[in-house]
Amino acid sequence: MKRLVFLSTFLLVSSISFAQSHFGAGVGFYTYATYWYWYNSSAPSGLRERYPIHVFNRTQAMVYYETPSIISLGPVKTSLRAEFLYGLGGGTKGDWITNATISDGGTTLSGVAGIKISAPIPLPTFGLTPYVTPMFHYSLLNSNGQGVSSTYSAFRYNYEWDENMYAFALGFGTEFRILSFVINPEYRFFVAGGTGTDWSVTGSVSDTGPSFGAFVLMVGVSL
């Protein structure tokens, strides 16, 4: 009987705690890639078409807020999450000639809004919640044009520019809840989207599609 009372109480408390909203901070390790088609009619024959690829390695600090569960279907619960990310560092490489540096830094700003779909698994000592998060992801990726390798300097490109990425992405993670604290390790990847740029070169540049992958670690507290 005592075990039954304990189990019932534990499940009740767990269900209440899972319904709480929480906020927190974290860090994300992102690798963005943008793919371009560049056509320059004034270039010599055989050099008029190129396919530049820009690879951004960015470490981003983040803050986030997650709502209480808004819809429950049996054990499956859904909540909303919003995030703001700011770049702490990282450079940019171009890998259509060689994998050489075209920028040693730049500002990175990101905003994320998603729906977290989770299935809590109450355990005797902590809460375990696997989840998936479909999300909209926006990033402003700036390159400062400094630290350009000699390979690219010879081409005299202007590598101080901005790129905007608009993406639908998925995140897969696990939430660990201990008392009022939550820890979320999560992997994210690009599904679909596009980019725009003010990159200025002779000729015309068009987007052929971006991608990204990221590992994110978030630590929060229940409200």
Side-chain angles (χ1 to χ4, degrees):
M1 183 63 180
K2 289 183 179 180
R3 290 183 179 180
L4 180 60
V5 172
F6 170 79
L7 180 60
S8 300
T9 303
F10 176 76
L11 291 176
L12 177 61
V13 171
S14 297
S15 64
I16 292 173
S17 65
F18 282 125
Q20 293 176 330
S21 62
H22 58 274
F23 73 97
V27 62
F29 304 94
Y30 279 78
T31 298
Y32 301 94
T34 56
Y35 303 81
W36 306 93
Y37 170 70
W38 174 37
Y39 180 77
N40 181 10
S41 60
S42 63
S45 178
L47 299 176
R48 295 174 182 173
E49 292 184 302
R50 294 186 182 275
Y51 298 86
I53 302 172
H54 300 153
V55 180
F56 304 79
N57 292 300
R58 295 290 190 268
T59 300
Q60 295 177 259
M62 64 184 298
V63 292
Y64 77 94
Y65 172 75
E66 185 174 313
T67 69
S69 177
I70 57 174
I71 299 175
S72 296
L73 298 174
V76 178
K77 303 180 184 301
T78 60
S79 57
L80 303 179
R81 186 200 289 165
E83 304 171 5
F84 173 75
L85 300 92
Y86 180 79
L88 299 176
T92 310
K93 296 192 175 206
D95 65 356
W96 58 290
I97 300 176
T98 60
N99 189 27
T101 299
I102 54 179
S103 178
D104 63 9
T107 302
T108 307
L109 299 173
S110 299
V112 177
I115 301 174
K116 180 178 175 181
I117 304 170
S118 57
I121 306 172
L123 297 175
T125 55
F126 62 92
L128 179 66
T129 307
Y131 66 85
V132 59
T133 304
M135 67 186 75
F136 173 77
H137 183 108
Y138 164 77
S139 282
L140 168 65
L141 302 167
N142 168 263
S143 293
N144 61 14
Q146 300 176 12
V148 182
S149 71
S150 58
T151 301
Y152 285 91
S153 296
F155 285 81
R156 297 179 181 177
Y157 296 137
N158 175 17
Y159 278 113
E160 183 177 359
W161 79 101
D162 294 327
E163 298 186 25
N164 295 276
M165 179 182 293
Y166 309 88
F168 171 72
L170 285 177
F172 290 90
T174 301
E175 178 182 293
F176 300 91
R177 184 181 292 264
I178 303 174
L179 300 177
S180 60
F181 296 96
V182 290
I183 302 171
N184 294 270
E186 182 180 317
Y187 176 73
R188 300 176 176 180
F189 61 92
F190 172 90
V191 176
T195 52
T197 184
D198 62 1
W199 184 34
S200 178
V201 292
T202 303
S204 61
V205 176
S206 58
D207 167 34
T208 61
S211 66
F212 75 77
F215 174 75
V216 175
L217 180 63
M218 296 170 280
V219 179
V221 61
S222 298
L223 299 178

